[in-house]
Amino acid sequence: MKITKRDLTVATLSVCCTLTCIIAQPKGSILESTAFDWNNIAVRGTAIGSVRTFFRSTTATTDELECHVTTLNPGEAAHAPHKHQEEEVIIIKEGTVEALVNGEKKKVGPGSVIFQASNQMHTVRNVGKTPATYHVVSWHSPGTMEK
């Protein structure tokens, strides 16, 4: 299997986001009620668009709750189809994406919501002519995080 520049960029971005959240969130602390101002969240450019990481933290009822906003350039996919234990809700802000859901490709636009269940193959690709921006909220239910 050949590792592409895009694969390295996605991996690097994931590591940076994780490290940023680990540094920003003291070990053992639980995320409390908070308001996150869009204008105060750093935008990180990527090879496929950009990302804003709002938080990644333990909460009172989850082992981890994570929220970020991705902007994909036209024709780009967030990642290759994959699966993981955490569940995700994706809310499309702008643009048109094609989501792999239950083995089928679904085309959706602004205001649409995608739910990706645990351990099901999924991906999102921008099929429009303009950037596509969407919010991602994912969570690890207690006991589901890999050590």
Side-chain angles (χ1 to χ4, degrees):
M1 181 163 107
K2 181 180 175 186
I3 297 176
T4 66
K5 182 179 175 183
R6 182 173 168 271
D7 293 334
L8 290 173
T9 300
V10 170
T12 301
L13 178 63
S14 295
V15 169
C16 289
C17 289
T18 300
L19 289 175
T20 299
C21 293
I22 289 170
I23 292 166
Q25 189 71 28
K27 186 174 176 85
S29 67
I30 292 177
L31 182 64
E32 296 184 8
S33 297
T34 308
F36 298 92
D37 186 324
W38 175 270
N39 297 311
N40 294 333
I41 304 299
V43 179
R44 283 187 225 84
T46 68
I48 58 174
S50 66
V51 65
R52 294 173 190 252
T53 300
F54 285 76
F55 57 84
R56 182 179 219 133
S57 181
T58 301
T59 71
T61 60
T62 67
D63 283 350
E64 182 180 86
L65 180 65
E66 186 264 345
C67 178
H68 69 272
V69 175
T70 297
T71 298
L72 291 177
N73 293 329
E76 297 290 351
H79 45 67
H82 71 279
K83 60 183 176 177
H84 44 68
Q85 286 201 346
E86 67 268 25
E87 296 175 311
E88 298 178 327
V89 171
I90 300 170
I91 304 166
I92 310 304
K93 180 178 185 267
E94 57 193 17
T96 304
V97 300
E98 181 180 78
L100 178 62
V101 179
N102 292 325
E104 296 181 26
K105 294 178 180 177
K106 304 282 185 177
K107 189 174 172 180
V108 295
S112 298
V113 176
I114 303 163
F115 172 69
Q116 298 293 7
S118 178
N119 292 314
Q120 292 190 349
M121 295 295 286
H122 64 276
T123 191
V124 175
R125 184 171 66 90
N126 181 352
V127 294
K129 297 186 186 305
T130 61
T133 300
Y134 54 89
H135 299 253
V136 179
V137 178
S138 67
W139 59 94
H140 283 275
S141 298
T144 63
M145 284 187 71
E146 294 179 16
K147 305 289 183 215

